[in-house]
C-alpha cells in the first residue's frame, strides 16, 4: 500500500477511535473530594415535585428523566454532578454552588466528538459568581465558543439547573 | 413556407409516439416522487421520524432481525428484560447503557434494576427514580443483585458483597450475610412477542423508508440508478413536450399566414 494512503488510513482509524471515546478529565468522586477538602459529606437526595419538574422543563427544554437528584452539601456549599446532552452524548459536569452563586464549574466527562473546549478555564471561569435572576436565567452573559455552540448551551443549562436545585434544597426543610 | 416533408412528418410522429410511451413509463415514478416528496416536506407535521414501521416484510428487507440476546429477570410479577442492547421494564423501555442485565429486586419504594455498570431505581410503575453509578458509590462490574433477609439491597462485585443502606447513599462490605440473589426467568410468551415487536418496530422510522423510496435506495444501489433513469425520462418528456408544442405553434402560424388573403 502506498505510504500516503497508509498514513491516511491510520489517521482515519485514530480519529474514529478518538471521537468514539469518552474523555474523563476528572473522576466525579475526585471532584467531590477536591471540593470538600478531602472528605466528601454524605450524599443527600432532592426529590423532584411536579411543580419543580415544570421549572426544570423550562431550564432544560425537556423533562428531567429522574425523579430525584443526589447532591452533597457542607455548610453553604453544595456540589452537583449533572449531565446534559450536547449534541448526541451526555456531558458530565461538576458544579459547586455557594450562597446561591456558582463557585466552580468543571467538565468531568466529555463524550461528544467536538466542542471539548468547554472544559477549559477560559470558558468555565466566566460562570464564577453567576446567580439566577427572577426569570431563572444567569445574571451575566456567557461568551460562547465557535464550533462548540451545543456544548456551551448544555453547560449553561446545567449551571442554571444547579443554581435552581440549590435554591430548592434551601427552601425545603 | 412549404409543408413538412414526409421524412420530417415521420420523425415528428415518432417523437409523439416516444413522448406518449415515455410519459406512461414515467407516470409511475412521478406519482411515487410526488407523494413521497410531499410527505417528506411535511415530515415534522406528520411526525414521520417518530412513527415506526411495523411490517415484518419491510423490517426483514432492511435486515432488522429479532435479537439473539434475550435475558430476563422477574420480581413481584414484573419482568425486566434485555433485548439486544435495550432494556425494558415489562414492555416499557428503560434508558440503557449497553451493559449486561444482572437482576431486579424489590425495594420499599419500587424496584432496583442492576446492570454490570450500575443500578436504576424505578417506581412501582417503572418510572426512573435515579441512576446509581460510580459517583454514588456503586462500583462497575456488578455480577449479581439480591436482598438480605431484612430487605436490604445487596450486590456482588468482583471482590466483595456490598449492602446498601435504606436510602442507598452508602454501601458497606458485609461478608457472610445470607442473600437471596435475583435469578434469570423466562418472560411469558405474550410479553416476549410484544418486546420483540417493540424492538424491531422501533428500529425503522417511517421517514427513513420514505426517503429511501424517494431516492430509490429501498432497492439497494440499483434503485438509485432506476430513479436516475426516471429523472432522465422526465427530462426527455420536458424537452420533447416543449419541442412538440413549438412545432405545432409554428405549423399553426404558417397555416394562418397561407390562408390570409393577400
Amino acid at each position: 500500500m502506498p505510504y500516503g494512503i497508509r498514513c491516511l488510513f491510520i489517521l482515519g482509524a485514530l480519529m474514529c477511535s478518538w471521537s468514539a471515546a469518552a474523555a474523563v478529565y476528572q473522576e466525579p468522586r475526585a471532584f467531590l473530594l477536591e471540593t470538600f477538602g478531602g472528605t466528601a459529606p454524605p450524599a443527600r437526595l432532592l426529590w423532584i415535585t411536579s411543580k419543580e419538574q415544570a421549572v426544570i422543563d423550562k431550564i432544560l427544554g425537556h423533562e428531567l428523566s429522574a425523579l430525584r437528584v443526589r447532591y452533597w452539601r457542607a455548610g453553604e456549599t453544595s456540589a452537583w454532578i449533572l449531565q446534559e446532552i450536547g449534541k448526541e452524548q451526555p456531558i458530565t459536569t461538576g458544579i459547586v454552588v455557594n450562597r446561591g452563586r456558582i463557585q466552580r464549574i468543571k467538565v468531568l466527562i466529555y463524550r461528544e466528538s467536538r466542542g471539548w473546549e468547554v472544559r477549559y478555564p477560559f470558558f468555565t471561569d466566566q460562570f464564577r459568581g453567576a446567580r439566577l435572576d427572577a426569570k431563572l436565567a444567569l445574571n451575566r452573559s456567557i461568551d460562547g465558543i465557535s464550533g462548540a455552540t451545543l456544548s456551551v448551551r448544555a453547560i449553561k443549562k446545567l449551571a442554571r439547573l444547579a443554581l435552581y436545585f440549590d435554591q430548592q434544597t434551601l427552601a425545603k426543610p | 413556407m412549404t409543408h413538412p416533408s414526409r421524412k420530417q412528418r415521420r420523425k415528428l410522429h415518432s417523437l409523439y409516439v416516444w413522448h406518449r410511451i415515455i410519459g406512461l413509463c414515467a407516470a409511475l415514478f412521478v406519482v411515487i416522487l410526488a407523494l413521497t416528496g410531499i410527505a417528506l416536506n411535511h415530515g415534522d407535521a406528520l411526525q414521520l421520524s417518530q412513527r415506526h414501521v411495523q411490517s415484518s416484510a419491510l423490517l426483514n428487507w432492511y435486515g432488522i432481525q429479532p435479537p439473539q440476546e434475550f435475558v430476563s429477570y422477574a420480581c413481584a410479577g414484573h419482568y425486566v428484560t434485555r433485548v439486544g442492547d435495550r432494556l425494558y421494564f415489562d414492555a416499557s423501555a428503560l434508558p440503557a447503557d449497553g451493559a449486561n442485565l444482572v437482576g431486579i429486586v424489590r425495594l420499599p419504594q419500587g424496584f432496583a434494576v442492576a446492570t454490570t455498570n450500575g443500578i436504576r431505581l424505578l417506581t412501582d410503575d417503572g418510572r426512573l427514580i435515579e441512576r446509581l453509578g460510580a459517583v454514588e458509590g456503586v462500583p462497575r462490574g456488578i455480577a449479581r443483585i439480591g436482598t438480605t433477609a431484612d430487605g436490604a439491597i445487596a450486590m456482588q462485585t468482583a471482590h466483595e458483597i456490598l449492602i446498601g443502606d435504606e436510602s442507598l447513599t452508602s454501601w458497606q462490605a458485609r461478608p457472610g450475610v445470607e442473600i437471596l440473589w435475583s435469578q434469570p426467568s423466562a418472560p411469558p410468551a405474550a410479553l416476549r412477542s410484544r418486546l420483540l415487536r417493540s424492538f424491531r418496530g422501533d428500529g425503522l422510522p417511517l421517514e427513513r423508508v420514505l426517503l429511501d423510496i424517494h431516492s430509490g435506495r429501498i432497492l439497494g444501489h440499483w434503485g438509485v440508478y432506476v430513479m436516475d433513469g426516471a429523472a432522465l425520462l422526465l427530462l426527455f418528456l420536458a424537452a420533447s413536450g416543449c419541442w412538440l408544442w413549438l412545432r405545432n405553434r409554428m405549423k399553426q402560424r404558417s397555416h394562418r399566414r397561407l390562408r390570409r388573403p393577400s
Side-chain angles (χ1 to χ4, degrees):
Chain A
M1 195 187 289
Y3 179 73
I5 293 176
R6 209 168 4 171
C7 284
L8 275 175
F9 183 74
I10 292 167
L11 187 67
L14 279 173
M15 282 180 77
C16 286
S17 61
W18 169 71
S19 64
V24 181
Y25 301 123
Q26 189 174 28
E27 285 291 345
R29 197 77 206 158
F31 171 79
L32 291 174
L33 292 174
E34 192 182 278
T35 300
F36 294 105
T39 316
R44 301 184 190 194
L45 300 170
L46 170 66
W47 285 88
I48 308 294
T49 63
S50 55
K51 192 179 158 192
E52 286 161 350
Q53 187 66 260
V55 178
I56 293 166
D57 266 12
K58 279 186 194 161
I59 293 174
L60 292 179
H62 60 82
E63 199 175 288
L64 189 76
S65 59
L67 294 177
R68 76 181 187 195
V69 180
R70 209 163 276 246
Y71 68 101
W72 294 261
R73 177 178 285 285
E76 289 178 314
T77 303
S78 64
W80 304 84
I81 293 174
L82 304 171
Q83 291 194 342
E84 172 64 354
I85 291 175
K87 188 180 180 193
E88 289 166 346
Q89 298 291 330
I91 304 168
T92 305
T93 309
I95 302 166
V96 182
V97 180
N98 184 279
R99 297 181 186 184
R101 290 175 183 271
I102 287 183
Q103 185 177 304
R104 184 176 168 227
I105 283 191
K106 182 155 189 182
V107 174
L108 304 177
I109 305 171
Y110 193 83
R111 302 171 182 86
E112 300 278 11
S113 57
R114 58 174 60 192
W116 64 90
E117 297 91 336
V118 290
R119 79 186 173 100
Y120 290 121
F122 77 81
F123 174 71
T124 54
D125 283 354
Q126 298 181 86
F127 289 88
R128 198 170 289 165
R131 59 181 167 77
L132 279 187
D133 63 17
K135 291 178 179 171
L136 297 171
L138 295 176
N139 70 331
R140 64 178 61 173
S141 69
I142 305 291
D143 292 338
I145 302 170
S146 58
T149 311
L150 295 177
S151 297
V152 167
R153 200 174 291 166
I155 303 292
K156 281 159 83 173
K157 283 179 185 175
L158 291 180
R160 291 167 62 202
L161 192 62
L163 287 169
Y164 176 69
F165 282 161
D166 183 69
Q167 284 179 358
Q168 299 314 301
T169 59
L170 294 174
K172 287 178 185 177
Chain B
M1 192 177 166
T2 56
H3 285 288
S5 68
R6 184 178 289 177
K7 196 176 169 188
Q8 272 177 319
R9 273 207 306 272
R10 203 176 294 152
K11 202 186 281 176
L12 200 61
H13 183 71
S14 98
L15 195 60
Y16 266 118
V17 171
W18 278 112
H19 187 78
R20 195 164 56 221
I21 292 169
I22 289 176
L24 282 171
C25 291
L28 176 67
F29 294 106
V30 170
V31 170
I32 290 171
L33 285 170
L35 291 180
T36 52
I38 289 169
L40 288 168
N41 265 352
H42 301 278
D44 287 341
L46 296 170
Q47 295 184 315
L48 295 179
S49 57
Q50 281 101 57
R51 294 183 184 191
H52 294 87
V53 173
Q54 300 294 333
S55 154
S56 277
L58 211 47
L59 290 167
N60 285 338
W61 181 258
Y62 273 83
I64 300 172
Q65 299 298 333
Q68 299 299 313
E69 195 180 348
F70 206 102
V71 182
S72 198
Y73 291 82
C75 181
H78 293 278
Y79 288 85
V80 62
T81 311
R82 184 170 193 248
V83 187
D85 57 353
R86 295 186 209 167
L87 272 184
Y88 294 89
F89 177 78
D90 292 332
S92 309
L94 291 176
D97 55 9
N100 287 331
L101 180 65
V102 295
I104 179 171
V105 292
R106 189 84 174 100
L107 295 175
Q109 70 268 38
F111 296 93
V113 173
T115 66
T116 50
N117 276 357
I119 293 174
R120 287 163 185 75
L121 301 179
L122 308 178
T123 59
D124 283 338
D125 57 356
R127 290 179 65 200
L128 182 70
I129 297 172
E130 194 184 4
R131 291 172 79 154
L132 305 178
V135 183
E136 293 78 22
V138 176
R140 281 174 179 262
I142 301 171
R144 287 195 290 180
I145 188 169
T147 46
T148 61
D150 55 359
I153 182 170
M155 62 178 159
Q156 184 172 37
T157 65
H159 306 292
E160 56 196 349
I161 290 172
L162 298 170
I163 313 289
D165 65 358
E166 200 177 330
S167 59
L168 302 180
T169 50
S170 74
W171 297 82
Q172 303 292 328
R174 269 169 57 190
V177 179
E178 199 168 311
I179 293 158
L180 182 66
W181 297 109
S182 175
Q183 298 294 334
S185 168
L191 177 62
R192 190 186 165 90
S193 62
R194 199 170 157 196
L195 290 176
L196 284 175
R197 261 202 321 275
S198 167
F199 178 87
R200 292 183 82 201
D202 288 351
L204 186 58
L206 189 55
E207 188 176 38
R208 174 79 267 152
V209 178
L210 284 175
L211 271 169
D212 288 347
I213 293 173
H214 195 75
S215 65
R217 284 193 176 82
I218 195 145
L219 301 174
H221 65 279
W222 289 110
V224 179
Y225 296 126
V226 170
M227 291 317 260
D228 286 350
L232 291 175
L233 292 183
L234 289 174
L235 280 176
F236 175 84
L237 282 177
S240 60
C242 287
W243 174 246
L244 290 170
W245 170 79
L246 206 63
R247 285 298 303 245
N248 272 346
R249 195 175 162 82
M250 283 165 68
K251 211 161 96 179
Q252 281 168 1
R253 273 192 186 170
S254 64
H255 272 282
R256 257 185 242 135
R257 209 176 294 148
L258 284 172
R259 281 180 197 160
R260 205 177 292 157
S262 53

